[in-house]
């Protein structure tokens, strides 16, 4: 029988108390961090968004972890990140408030994207086509890597926690490569090459709604800790009411041997799941085939990632007033669909690598590559009647300007939807 994984749960509004308690429940910081060691903290600072948006790890959680780790008298603490494609890590550190914390606490900040001293690391038993990774030497030589994700709903993955956050240790070239194939497998391959030994999850103000681009923060007031990234993600789902059967990557992660998924293989210590329970609004879960009856949505065989992307993109079409104008189009996600031959190619959008095969009968349909594709690719393709998949210069020239243009109406739309949801579910309101 596999060894049980321990997940520490601490609930309360005092961040430092929560973080200290979580380390204590994991055996005490002086037992989990070696004196004189080099410790790298990997927060989520992937976008230039301020703390109140819950896009990045709360800087006060980062500070609390730094202060806790200092008790173990490490030689050095480094905060490191490679921001999302097209984002400047240093700007993300600044806007997220993490730069100020690093300066005040006297710890070093490192932008993985700018790091030149890389080592080639083989990925044993790789599942995607990533058989080796170039990773920063400082990361590979660190004694401890503390993964510091924020809990959030996520358009490409349904939800994002410890497993997804480690994706941010690679530079843009690999990041791009990961998005062009099976992202879940690629994420697991990154974990195989670069495994965090401790995961501390910021769930103080988890991001519900159409996160990561338009999150609706809620007061979850928790910090979680574990050495097992699968177990901590599983417990995070349990405390926020996320149906884990709707998150495909758990199965892959458990199969890869990264950690325990089954609750009977996990010991929750500290506060109980019941004491911490706070349901998150995650609109990426549910029946996608009937949700937009004005469109012909075919989604047989679709992974949870593409279902989540379908949800955000269809709602974004509504927000920018393009939904009705394009009604009647056929949207295809997943590889188990039948597409009648009499549907004109110009009315069909094929979303994702597994839909490429339908080009055989519909060679001029709009095929968006990626597994899953770029987050706003679907709504932009429908709106512009040209394939927008983020390849080449599209990210800089089309995707970012369009997202900036649409941000205000999308924000208004999402917050109205949140108000409506919480009116209908008053017991879940923060
Ligand atoms: S492109 Fe296909 S295989 Fe890839 S995530 Fe989407 S549905 Fe799954």
């Amino acid at each position: 029988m596999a060894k049980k994984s321990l997940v520490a749960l601490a609930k309360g509004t005092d961040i430092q108390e929560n973080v200290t308690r979580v380390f204590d429940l994991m055996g005490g910081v002086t037992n989990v961090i070696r004196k004189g060691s080099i410790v790298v903290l990997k927060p989520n600072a992937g976008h230039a968004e301020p703390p109140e948006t819950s896009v990045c790890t709360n800087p006060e959680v980062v500070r609390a972890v730094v202060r806790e780790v200092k008790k173990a008298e490490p030689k050095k603490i480094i905060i490191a990140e490679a921001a999302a494609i097209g984002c400047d890590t240093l700007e993300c550190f600044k806007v997220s408030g993490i730069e100020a914390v690093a300066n005040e606490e006297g710890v070093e900040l490192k932008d993985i994207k700018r790091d030149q001293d890389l080592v080639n690391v083989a990925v044993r038993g790789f599942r995607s086509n990533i058989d080796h990774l170039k990773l920063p030497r400082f990361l590979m030589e660190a004694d401890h890597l503390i993964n510091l994700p924020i809990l959030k709903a996520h358009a490409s993955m349904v939800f994002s926690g410890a497993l997804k956050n480690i994706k941010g240790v690679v530079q843009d070239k690999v990041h791009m490569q990961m998005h062009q194939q099976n992202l879940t497998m690629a994420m697991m391959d990154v974990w195989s090459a670069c495994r965090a030994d401790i995961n501390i999850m910021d769930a103080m103000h988890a991001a519900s709604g159409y996160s990561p681009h338009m999150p609706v923060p809620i007061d979850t007031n928790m910090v979680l800790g574990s050495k097992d990234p699968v177990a901590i993600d599983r417990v995070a789902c349990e405390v926020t009411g996320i149906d884990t059967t709707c998150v495909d990557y758990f199965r892959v992660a458990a199969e890869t041997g990264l950690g325990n998924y089954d609750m009977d293989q996990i010991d929750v210590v500290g506060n109980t799941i019941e004491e911490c329970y706070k349901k998150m609004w995650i609109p990426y879960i549910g029946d996608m085939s009937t949700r937009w009856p004005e469109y012909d949505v075919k989604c047989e065989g679709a992974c949870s990632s593409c279902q989540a992307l379908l949800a955000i993109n269809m709602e974004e079409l509504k927000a920018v007033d393009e939904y009705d104008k394009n009604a009647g189009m056929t949207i295809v996600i997943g590889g188990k669909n039948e597409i009648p031959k009499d549907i004109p190619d110009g009315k069909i959008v094929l979303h994702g690598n597994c839909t490429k095969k339908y080009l055989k009968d519909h060679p001029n349909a709009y095929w968006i590559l990626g597994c899953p594709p770029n987050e706003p690719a679907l709504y932009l393709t429908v709106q512009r009647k040209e394939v927008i998949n983020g390849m080449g210069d599209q990210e800089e020239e089309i995707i970012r300007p369009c997202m900036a243009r649409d941000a205000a109406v999308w924000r208004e739309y999402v917050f109205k939807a949140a108000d409506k949801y919480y009116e209908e579910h008053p017991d879940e309101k923060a």
Side-chain angles (χ1 to χ4, degrees):
M1 198 171 176
K3 196 167 162 259
K4 280 194 170 190
S5 298
L6 180 141
V7 177
L9 252 180
K11 185 171 175 68
T13 52
D14 187 312
I15 293 174
Q16 187 68 61
E17 269 179 24
N18 285 351
V19 167
T20 300
R21 187 141 176 262
V22 156
F23 272 100
D24 287 348
L25 289 162
M26 291 168 70
V29 71
T30 50
N31 288 319
V32 292
I33 301 289
R34 278 200 309 281
K35 186 176 175 179
S37 60
I38 295 177
V39 184
V40 176
L41 309 187
K42 162 62 183 83
N44 183 331
H47 296 270
E49 297 288 348
E52 62 273 17
T53 60
S54 288
V55 169
C56 302
T57 306
N58 186 321
E60 292 309 315
V61 173
V62 178
R63 186 196 304 278
V65 173
V66 167
R67 289 185 175 178
E68 194 60 24
V69 169
K70 280 179 179 173
K71 291 180 190 168
E73 299 179 46
K75 183 175 169 195
K76 194 186 214 183
I77 301 174
I78 300 166
I79 300 173
E81 171 67 308
I85 296 166
C87 296
D88 181 342
T89 312
L90 296 181
E91 192 198 353
C92 296
F93 277 145
K94 191 180 189 69
V95 178
S96 66
I98 291 172
E99 181 194 273
V101 166
N103 292 340
E104 286 156 18
E105 296 297 327
V107 302
E108 192 180 341
L109 278 178
K110 274 199 186 270
D111 173 7
I112 291 174
K113 288 189 180 192
R114 287 180 168 90
D115 203 283
Q116 305 276 321
D117 189 7
L118 305 174
V119 286
N120 221 355
V121 183
V123 180
R124 285 210 198 99
F126 58 93
R127 291 176 160 230
S128 66
N129 67 1
I130 298 177
D131 57 359
H132 71 278
L133 283 168
K134 282 193 174 12
L135 292 168
R137 185 179 301 280
F138 79 86
L139 196 61
M140 302 317 291
E141 292 181 353
D143 299 293
H144 298 284
L145 173 57
I146 303 183
N147 186 21
L148 259 181
I150 180 169
L151 174 60
K152 56 186 174 182
H154 200 283
S156 311
M157 289 279 138
V158 178
F159 107 99
S160 169
L163 284 165
K164 183 164 181 305
N165 193 47
I166 223 69
K167 186 162 80 78
V169 298
V170 298
Q171 295 186 336
D172 274 2
K173 195 171 159 212
V174 179
H175 204 158
M176 205 102 75
Q177 192 187 350
M178 290 172 75
H179 277 272
Q180 286 166 30
Q181 50 170 318
N182 189 307
L183 181 59
T184 301
M185 298 300 183
M187 260 165 47
M188 299 312 147
D189 286 344
V190 173
W191 266 98
S192 304
C194 180
R195 191 168 179 151
D197 51 346
I198 300 166
N199 304 276
I200 304 292
M201 187 184 291
D202 167 18
M204 293 303 295
H205 306 286
S208 70
Y210 292 94
S211 177
H213 295 305
M214 205 50 77
V216 178
I218 57 169
D219 292 338
T220 31
N221 293 321
M222 280 177 272
V223 172
L224 295 84
S226 182
K227 293 181 178 173
D228 179 338
V230 184
I232 194 173
D233 277 4
R234 174 71 200 259
V235 172
C237 286
E238 293 298 316
V239 288
T240 51
I242 300 172
D243 179 355
T244 52
T245 61
C246 299
V247 186
D248 292 333
Y249 69 72
F250 273 123
R251 181 184 49 76
V252 181
E255 278 172 19
T256 315
L258 265 179
N260 287 331
Y261 165 75
D262 290 331
M263 284 306 288
D264 58 8
Q265 290 298 312
I266 299 170
D267 274 335
V268 177
V269 296
N271 287 105
T272 63
I273 288 174
E274 292 70 29
E275 284 166 348
C276 295
Y277 188 82
K278 179 83 193 167
K279 177 114 170 66
M280 270 173 83
W281 169 48
I282 301 208
Y284 302 139
I285 291 174
D287 181 9
M288 301 291 163
S289 61
T290 55
R291 209 186 272 189
W292 303 279
E294 293 76 15
Y295 284 67
D296 176 17
V297 174
K298 299 187 185 298
C299 53
E300 284 301 313
C303 302
S304 58
S305 303
C306 273
Q307 293 189 42
L309 286 167
L310 174 72
I312 195 169
N313 278 277
M314 295 307 279
E315 295 305 316
E316 204 147 2
L317 276 174
K318 288 184 185 173
V320 299
D321 204 19
E322 288 285 337
Y323 183 86
D324 292 336
K325 289 179 199 161
N326 295 289
M329 288 195 78
T330 297
I331 311 288
V332 184
I333 61 170
K336 294 187 180 164
N337 294 287
E338 296 286 330
I339 308 176
K341 285 200 171 147
D342 60 353
I343 301 179
D345 289 8
K347 289 248 171 207
I348 302 172
V349 178
L350 305 172
H351 184 262
N353 288 1
C354 64
T355 63
K356 188 179 182 184
K357 61 186 177 186
Y358 305 121
L359 286 174
K360 189 164 160 275
D361 289 333
H362 296 280
N364 295 313
Y366 302 104
W367 174 59
I368 304 169
L369 69 78
C371 182
N374 198 310
E375 278 160 30
L378 176 55
Y379 98 87
L380 292 175
T381 297
V382 170
Q383 183 181 1
R384 294 171 67 97
K385 301 287 186 301
E386 64 174 315
V387 175
I388 304 297
N389 51 26
M391 293 300 114
D393 295 330
Q394 283 187 344
E395 177 77 36
E396 287 300 321
E397 290 176 4
I398 299 175
I399 293 185
R400 289 193 174 273
C402 286
M403 289 179 76
R405 175 199 66 195
D406 296 340
V409 283
W410 179 225
R411 182 182 165 77
E412 194 185 342
Y413 182 90
V414 169
F415 276 79
K416 263 191 198 158
D419 286 346
K420 185 164 178 281
Y421 178 85
Y422 287 116
E423 256 171 50
E424 290 165 6
H425 305 82
D427 52 317
E428 295 171 21
K429 190 157 173 51

